[in-house]
Amino acid sequence: MDPSTIRKKIVRFRILIVGRANAGKTTILQKVCNTRDNPEIYNSAGEKIDPAVLRASRERGLHDIENEMVFQSNPGFVFHDSRGFEAGGESEFNKVKTFIAERSKERDIKKRLHVIWYCIPMDEASRSFTEGERKFFSQCDTGSTPVIVLFTKFDAFYDVEFARLRRKGTPWKDAKEQAPELAKESFANGSQLQFLKDLQQPPKCHVCLPDMNKHDSDCRTLMECTAETLGNEVLTQLFVSTQQINLELCMKYAVERTLAKLVDSAQTTSDKGDEEAIGRLGIWFPHLLAR
């Protein structure tokens, strides 16, 4: 079956975002969906949940990973949220483990989980994995669902390197300019990445996300990394065409995955071939209107 046909059956791209409190999860999802609004929440039956009811549940310590978060700015994405395991201990871990096991093998293609984003904040003193996070990466079988680690609030590393440079006598302006690059070098040789590399089944990739609280920041690197890890033509097409914040990514895949094949097969040698080529290329840009 043609990938575009299967894509129409799946309809929406489904993501599980995991992370402890204050890891910056909501901010990242808002950036991904290019909005400052909060998401609408739906239960597993597709019924919209009143925000007041949701707040009351959270105050009682209740949380349902089955609930779906949808931003009206981009309803093509469906998000499931899991709080950090330190909040719910063994119970929370088992819920996440069961959810992943069931959704990664879900027979209904519309409900299947497509990718997992795991957020690790870098603004805490230890900057290390909690016991619950170590347990997830060591014991949670995600099957064929790719896991991507998001090192959030990465600009905290900039502050560390900036302070170090200043102690050495580096002028303020120079220290400010050098700190980001030094932070990346230090992180590349640090304990966080070493832990991931030593895992039997390491995450597919990781991204560092600094300054997500700033207006001009974006999640383009996360979009690129996610697209590269999917390893499935249908899901790649669904993801790339659903995201709307990285037009260059749409162009890249349209050229590499579709245009190259069309040129090789010489399907653009007639008017009908031209129309078909435009239609197939346009699959990667469904959110754009041609005039």
Side-chain angles (χ1 to χ4, degrees):
M1 188 181 292
D2 184 77
S4 60
T5 303
I6 303 176
R7 181 197 185 284
K8 292 177 182 177
K9 292 180 179 292
I10 301 176
V11 183
R12 300 188 297 176
F13 194 90
R14 193 173 298 272
I15 299 171
L16 169 63
I17 186 164
V18 187
R20 65 187 93 153
N22 300 314
K25 293 182 290 182
T26 301
T27 300
I28 289 169
L29 298 187
Q30 289 173 326
K31 291 286 184 181
V32 167
C33 293
N34 195 26
T35 184
R36 293 184 180 182
D37 296 333
N38 288 321
E40 295 180 344
I41 311 296
Y42 298 85
N43 62 23
S44 56
E47 302 166 335
K48 188 176 179 180
I49 302 175
D50 188 297
V53 174
L54 200 63
R55 281 195 298 272
S57 297
R58 286 172 178 168
E59 289 171 0
R60 295 197 302 272
L62 302 177
H63 179 81
D64 191 348
I65 194 174
E66 294 287 345
N67 287 344
E68 299 179 347
M69 297 190 298
V70 178
F71 291 88
Q72 287 306 301
S73 59
N74 192 341
F77 280 124
V78 178
F79 302 102
H80 294 269
D81 176 33
S82 171
R83 57 187 177 180
F85 302 128
E86 74 278 6
E90 190 72 22
S91 174
E92 186 70 19
F93 176 76
N94 289 332
K95 287 178 183 178
V96 174
K97 190 175 180 180
T98 300
F99 177 84
I100 293 173
E102 292 178 350
R103 288 300 187 109
S104 61
K105 300 172 184 175
E106 172 64 58
R107 295 186 68 178
D108 185 346
I109 198 168
K110 292 182 180 179
K111 296 181 179 180
R112 196 172 299 164
L113 182 64
H114 301 133
V115 73
I116 300 168
W117 290 344
Y118 204 117
C119 299
I120 308 290
M122 291 288 101
D123 64 337
E124 298 182 6
S126 61
R127 296 187 177 85
S128 60
F129 293 91
T130 64
E131 189 57 40
E133 289 159 354
R134 290 177 178 274
K135 186 175 182 179
F136 174 87
F137 289 108
S138 302
Q139 299 181 26
C140 193
D141 181 11
T142 62
S144 59
T145 305
V147 179
I148 300 172
V149 173
L150 283 57
F151 289 106
T152 63
K153 304 184 179 182
F154 193 76
D155 46 292
F157 260 121
Y158 299 174
D159 297 336
V160 173
E161 293 300 329
F162 174 79
R164 186 176 300 167
L165 288 167
R166 290 291 287 152
R167 285 196 297 270
K168 292 180 178 179
T170 305
W172 191 93
K173 183 179 179 181
D174 292 343
K176 203 69 177 175
E177 291 177 351
Q178 296 172 26
E181 197 59 39
L182 290 174
K184 293 173 186 176
E185 293 175 7
S186 175
F187 181 74
N189 299 310
S191 59
Q192 294 89 355
L193 290 190
Q194 191 57 53
F195 168 74
L196 296 181
K197 291 175 183 176
D198 290 341
L199 292 172
Q200 247 185 338
Q201 294 182 316
K204 290 292 184 180
C205 70
H206 73 273
V207 294
C208 299
L209 299 175
D211 300 319
M212 285 292 103
N213 59 322
K214 293 185 177 180
H215 176 68
D216 59 348
S217 63
D218 61 53
C219 290
R220 294 189 178 207
T221 55
L222 175 58
M223 299 295 97
E224 293 165 3
C225 180
T226 302
E228 290 173 3
T229 62
L230 292 172
N232 177 295
E233 184 70 17
V234 175
L235 291 183
T236 301
Q237 188 180 96
L238 176 62
F239 176 78
V240 172
S241 59
T242 297
Q243 66 83 34
Q244 300 176 12
I245 62 172
N246 192 338
L247 181 60
E248 290 83 358
L249 189 65
C250 297
M251 295 170 63
K252 175 180 184 292
Y253 279 87
V255 170
E256 294 180 357
R257 299 293 179 89
T258 300
L259 184 60
K261 292 179 182 178
L262 292 172
V263 172
D264 289 343
S265 60
Q267 291 184 27
T268 60
T269 56
S270 65
D271 290 343
K272 185 176 181 180
D274 288 343
E275 291 179 8
E276 181 182 346
I278 292 171
R280 291 178 64 179
L281 288 168
I283 291 171
W284 297 96
F285 307 87
H287 55 285
L288 297 181
L289 296 176
R291 294 184 179 180

